[in-house]
Amino acid sequence: MTEVVHTPRVFSGIQPSGDLHLGNYLGALKRFAEAQDQGIETLYCMVDLHAITVWQNPADLKRATRELAAGFIASGIDPEKSMLFNQSQVPEHAQLAWIFNCVARMGWLNRMTQFKDKAGKNRENASVGLFAYPNLMAADILIYHATHVPVGEDQKQHIELTRDIATKFNHDYGVDFFPITEPVIEGAATRVMSLRDGSKKMSKSDPSDMSRITMTDDADAIAKKIRKAKTDPEALPSEVEGLKERAEARNLVNIYAALSDNTVDQVLSDVGGKQFSEFKPMLVELAVDKLAPISTEMGRLMQDPAEIDRILAKGAQKARAIAAPILDQTYEIVGMVRG
Ligand code: TRP
């Protein structure tokens, strides 16, 4: 069997479930834009088929999909450089997912911690789609023979499953067809924590709106949330070790570093010794400077949903040009009669 070398291709997906926040921006969107600008082929997908594994109000789902598209574009994803589309407009994802339903084993999916968390105690009442979700995710990635997938730590297990599916498929059919995809896991610096509790991830489901900066917050809201963010009475340290037991301080310094494209070390060598009364206004200025234009741009884009829909349709068309021949070859390998 000859070893096939796959050209580098980046794929990632985000669920259109509403309320994008700073964690999504620094952990995903900003990194996606950076990958796009490195000259690699990039595909970014709003995974609407994944969203309906739990109930979604149809009108809200449409709105969230368009808002997510606006968030991508406002964050620097250029639809001329990256393929930007919603999953359901490329039917090959769902078609390949069926093949993978027949490759993946029940035992593999039974081990998925995200399913256990999401289904909770009420497993019998979870949708079949929620259980099979990782197979669709594997199809999202492998329908493009994507080699690299930027994701959060919580998705690592799903990427391992994707690798297991590719390996089993290649082995069962005696081919070297699907690549063994590499996860590109976010670093600690882009993991954004709650502004009210530095030990919890920033999340759209936190009941306190003050715990997160959303991507649609205007300058005033951004400033207010940072001014009220929880801190401690100590001055900032000059070395990273000094942030060890100070989750809130560490979070604000991390946010500053990520927004200013500096390392935490660089930031601390500048601000070490300062009190929060001095550091917070610096962070407010930086955050407003970087984030307010994004929220303004999202607002502008959302005024014209028809234009967003055109962009997504065009992105889907380009994505299908890659996906369709890969699905064809897959069907051929599996033994489907093709007319
Ligand atoms: N499961 C991912 C999440 O919840 C979203 C997702 C779906 C995804 N398909 C993907 C991410 C493919 C990366 C690649 O965050």
Side-chain angles (χ1 to χ4, degrees):
M1 203 162 55
T2 54
E3 183 91 13
V4 180
V5 179
H6 294 276
T7 44
R9 185 176 280 154
V10 172
F11 179 94
S12 200
I14 300 187
Q15 289 201 43
S17 42
D19 289 330
L20 286 170
H21 55 69
L22 184 62
N24 303 115
Y25 174 65
L26 292 176
L29 296 167
K30 184 169 182 283
R31 295 167 67 218
F32 293 177
E34 286 160 5
Q36 161 193 275
D37 296 330
Q38 275 164 18
I40 313 166
E41 198 169 24
T42 42
L43 295 107
Y44 298 124
C45 184
M46 279 122 268
V47 290
D48 47 10
L49 296 173
H50 275 104
I52 61 163
T53 55
V54 296
W55 169 252
Q56 302 291 329
N57 171 289
D60 292 347
L61 177 59
K62 274 196 177 171
R63 189 191 150 76
T65 303
R66 292 182 179 128
E67 189 169 277
L68 177 54
F72 269 102
I73 297 167
S75 302
I77 308 298
D78 177 349
E80 296 297 322
K81 291 192 196 158
S82 293
M83 287 168 245
L84 186 65
F85 58 99
N86 56 313
Q87 188 181 29
S88 59
Q89 292 207 76
V90 182
E92 287 81 2
H93 291 233
Q95 291 175 286
L96 186 61
W98 178 259
I99 306 278
F100 289 170
N101 283 343
C102 304
V103 173
R105 306 288 94 183
M106 290 292 287
W108 300 0
L109 290 172
N110 271 329
R111 285 194 289 273
M112 295 294 115
T113 56
Q114 184 169 300
F115 174 74
K116 289 183 207 167
D117 292 347
K118 284 201 181 175
K121 288 198 179 67
N122 207 358
R123 264 184 83 140
E124 291 294 309
N125 200 38
S127 73
V128 174
L130 189 67
F131 185 70
Y133 177 117
N135 293 343
L136 177 59
M137 179 163 163
D140 296 339
I141 296 165
L142 294 174
I143 195 66
Y144 302 105
H145 281 185
T147 55
H148 295 85
V149 178
V151 278
E153 185 72 35
D154 63 329
Q155 295 299 312
K156 216 171 150 181
Q157 196 183 32
H158 290 161
I159 305 295
E160 271 155 26
L161 183 92
T162 302
R163 294 161 63 95
D164 289 345
I165 289 174
T167 304
K168 181 164 166 57
F169 182 98
N170 289 346
H171 176 266
D172 287 356
Y173 292 102
V175 291
D176 188 3
F177 184 61
F178 288 116
I180 310 303
T181 306
E182 294 290 336
V184 185
I185 305 290
E186 63 181 333
T190 51
R191 194 167 311 129
V192 180
M193 312 306 281
S194 157
L195 299 179
R196 309 302 304 163
D197 176 352
S199 68
K200 285 198 303 198
K201 261 185 104 163
M202 185 175 283
S203 157
K204 72 179 168 84
S205 48
D206 192 311
S208 166
D209 190 45
M210 295 301 286
S211 72
R212 65 188 156 260
I213 294 173
T214 73
M215 287 182 66
T216 47
D217 280 343
D218 62 14
D220 287 346
I222 296 168
K224 182 170 120 200
K225 288 175 182 180
I226 293 174
R227 270 191 231 109
K228 297 239 163 107
K230 191 174 167 201
T231 52
D232 58 42
E234 307 292 318
L236 284 161
S238 310
E239 311 272 321
V240 182
E241 293 77 68
L243 291 172
K244 243 188 191 152
E245 304 294 322
R246 301 173 62 188
E248 283 81 20
R250 187 175 59 218
N251 188 37
L252 295 183
V253 171
N254 274 346
I255 293 172
Y256 192 97
L259 284 173
S260 63
D261 292 311
N262 277 308
T263 64
V264 169
D265 282 315
Q266 283 167 325
V267 173
L268 289 179
S269 73
D270 282 354
V271 304
K274 287 193 200 301
Q275 294 291 334
F276 279 101
S277 56
E278 223 182 316
F279 176 65
K280 274 189 169 179
M282 291 171 64
L283 182 57
V284 166
E285 195 188 317
L286 175 67
V288 167
D289 187 51
K290 298 281 181 184
L291 302 174
I294 295 179
S295 101
T296 307
E297 177 64 0
M298 280 178 74
R300 193 189 67 77
L301 291 162
M302 285 299 281
Q303 303 273 306
D304 191 357
E307 175 60 11
I308 294 181
D309 295 1
R310 273 192 294 278
I311 291 172
L312 296 181
K314 219 171 131 190
Q317 216 176 18
K318 289 193 245 172
R320 285 196 83 178
I322 303 175
I326 292 178
L327 183 72
D328 262 336
Q329 291 172 65
T330 309
Y331 276 171
E332 186 59 41
I333 290 167
V334 171
M336 303 290 162
V337 173
R338 317 289 291 142

